Amino acid sequence: MMSKRRQTLGIQILLGAIILIVLGYTLFPDTSDEAWQKHTARFRQQLLNKKLSSIRPGGKSGQVKAAFVVLARNDELVGIKSAIQQMEDRFNHRFNYPYVFLNDDEFTDEFKQMTSSLTNAETHYGTIDRSMWGYPSHINTTLAAECRAKMQDANIIYGDSESYRHMCRFQSGFFYRHPLLKDFEYYWRVEPYVKYFCDIDYDVFQMMKDNGYKYGWTISLTEYMDTVPTLWSTTLNFINEHKHLINWGKNSLLDWITDDNWETYNGCHFWSNFEIGSLEFLRSPAYTKYFEYLDKAGGFFYERWGDAPVHSLGVALFLKPEEVHFFNDIGYKHEPLMHCPTENYLQSRCSCDPAHNFDWDPWNCAARYRDRIDREFVWDEKKYREKTNPYRIDAA
């Protein structure tokens, strides 16, 4: 006869088998191939989520410290909500990168509540210090007011705006120094009322970092030269005094910004209301010296130097073409201009009309960029897949 010990062991094994069978039918009532495939797909997605958490902010390894940077006022809430909703729908619901909101005044509770409710990502709110949004001591404010009046009489856009000048100076040389951004490496600038037309299913920031890209753009155009009459001469003076900082030679972006062998600035710049860039580049000694040189010259207030030409000249002076990336796959509009991908393989993810694409308009500087800097700056499908596939969320 079987001993009690062996009987007990047999009962335990039988009970264990019954439990496993019950669990199996509870969790997987359908044991068909289709049901099993669905289960493994769910399991695979769980593993993928764990993988993605290691490259997002807050992950334990390989993380990119990146954020959306939003300069806005309380009365721009509707426009900001629209932009965030699109950003979440098109990109960030997959990656949950944080938002940093900056304002020269205190944000209202309503602004904070409404914007934070649109995302699962962290949101941070900061006030801009007077040292970053005000007149430096060397500026003659009486002369600055006279200059604004003259530009208003000349019907120059934003010619009479004092706050616009503070904004341009802040975006040119201070936003990346704000305490809320001190721990970040990359930023994506987001503005009120902008539109995003294309689904982006790969980690843009990780792709930028791993490939050594320090500046990303979608739209380029020429500046209103009446707003920057002495920006070029001031830049040339800086170059003459700091030749060792400039990236000279064939592997340079300098030919993009002048059409007449350095006599004049052709006005070409990246439209900075969209930019994805390296904060470390903006904090670099070279760019810092350049901004401080421009700031001392006073052109942000005596003229109307914009952050777009300042950033762009900085990129052209200090970076290499392989450190600059054209985001052809990000359909984007800031009134009145739009970048819309025209390639079929990208259009399948976009809702914009390629007939309204601004890229090759005479006012655009993309043709100069192609002919003088990089004939292949618009990636073909093969290169696009090679560059983005490692960062696509279905790449597990």
Side-chain angles (χ1 to χ4, degrees), residues 12 35 45 58 84 97 115 121 161 171 206 245-246 262 279 290-291 321 324 329 334 345 348 373 388:
Q12 289 175 339
Q45 185 62 47
I84 293 173
Y97 280 105
T115 51
S161 176
Q171 294 284 33
Q206 191 75 49
L245 297 177
I246 310 304
W262 294 74
L279 291 163
Y290 179 56
F291 169 74
V324 178
D329 55 325
H334 183 292
Y345 76 93
S348 63
I373 305 301
T388 61

Side-chain angles (χ1 to χ4, degrees), residues 169-188:
R169 179 173 178 261
F170 174 75
Q171 294 284 33
S172 294
F174 291 103
F175 85 88
Y176 51 88
R177 308 186 202 190
H178 193 281
L180 286 179
L181 288 167
K182 66 182 178 64
D183 294 327
F184 289 103
E185 303 169 281
Y186 282 85
Y187 71 99
W188 183 333

